[in-house]
Amino acid sequence: LSSLRTSLLVATIASAVCLAIGLVWGAVAGYFGGTVDIVMERFTDILSGVPWIVMMTLIILLLGNNIITFAIALCMTDWIGPAGTTRTQFYRFKGREYVLASRTLGASDWRLIFQHIMPNGLGTIVTSCVLMIPSCIFAEASISYLGLGLQGVNSFGVILSENQIYLKTMPALVIFPSIIISLLMISFNLFGNGLRDALNPSLKGGE
């Protein structure tokens, strides 16, 4: 239970921060478009081209090996996914009639972004961001298993790393954490689809 709590805590914090950054970044890029979008996209392309494990290793060397450091490492690039999804939704909705009508009536850019466009794309955005939580858990498990992530605390990666020596004699010590990780992935996938349907019923039943 302590391993599950630690992994969920790190993943939830990282996902929330990535969602906040991604929403703002993608909204600005998708709404204004043109040169603004090109410059912002080139920045994300450069950042996404840097190997995450190298970036995380440098952050750990600079800030130490703890939960906060690992969450910061996850946030360095994981916000690019939500930003891309948000940008796509803004390109989809910013030319709709109700947006043009609101702009004609004098609505400000920020009002159009946060009150007219973003709520309509929120279903797809939330679905992708909910799936970030199991993705962060997998990242933590993989990196900690290699000895580069969380150390000295209970987490799925640490448990798998410590129990690999018992794989032949007591395989359950490795199999059970792996099953829990798989169940988490399925659960968050179903939860994300449910949120998407609740926020945007027109997408119900879609992939």
Side-chain angles (χ1 to χ4, degrees):
L1 289 179
S2 61
S3 302
L4 178 61
R5 182 172 61 249
T6 300
S7 297
L8 282 176
L9 177 63
V10 174
T12 302
I13 293 174
S15 298
V17 174
C18 291
L19 173 59
I21 298 174
L23 280 177
V24 176
W25 188 276
V28 173
Y31 180 80
F32 293 103
T35 303
V36 174
D37 183 29
I38 293 175
V39 173
M40 297 178 75
E41 281 300 295
R42 295 296 77 77
F43 176 80
T44 56
D45 289 342
I46 294 172
L47 187 61
S48 62
V50 179
W52 179 75
I53 190 170
V54 173
M55 188 179 299
M56 190 205 65
T57 303
L58 291 176
I59 293 174
I60 290 177
L61 291 176
L62 291 174
L63 302 178
N65 191 344
N66 52 62
I67 293 178
I68 296 178
T69 301
F70 192 81
I72 293 174
L74 288 174
C75 295
M76 291 297 294
T77 55
D78 279 7
W79 60 269
I80 296 177
T85 303
T86 305
R87 173 178 174 270
T88 301
Q89 294 303 307
F90 268 74
Y91 269 110
R92 177 184 178 187
F93 290 107
K94 72 176 184 178
R96 298 293 177 88
E97 290 80 2
Y98 63 87
V99 176
L100 298 177
S102 298
R103 182 182 289 112
T104 304
L105 293 174
S108 65
D109 290 333
W110 296 110
R111 181 181 178 85
L112 291 174
I113 289 174
F114 292 105
Q115 294 191 18
H116 295 282
I117 303 177
M118 188 174 291
N120 289 282
L122 201 58
T124 303
I125 297 170
V126 167
T127 302
S128 64
C129 292
V130 167
L131 294 179
M132 287 178 59
I133 297 179
S135 175
C136 290
I137 292 177
F138 287 153
E140 180 276 322
S142 301
I143 298 301
S144 297
Y145 180 79
L146 296 175
L148 297 175
L150 298 175
Q151 300 295 327
V153 296
N154 287 327
S155 68
F156 285 126
V158 174
I159 286 179
L160 291 174
S161 178
E162 293 177 349
N163 292 343
Q164 63 177 331
I165 59 176
Y166 304 110
L167 185 59
K168 292 184 178 180
T169 57
M170 301 180 65
L173 295 178
V174 176
I175 294 176
F176 285 163
S178 302
I179 292 176
I180 293 176
I181 294 176
S182 300
L183 291 176
L184 281 174
M185 181 62 182
I186 296 173
S187 300
F188 277 104
N189 190 10
L190 296 175
F191 180 62
N193 289 335
L195 279 180
R196 179 202 60 191
D197 295 341
L199 293 172
N200 193 346
S202 65
L203 296 175
K204 189 172 184 179
E207 293 296 332

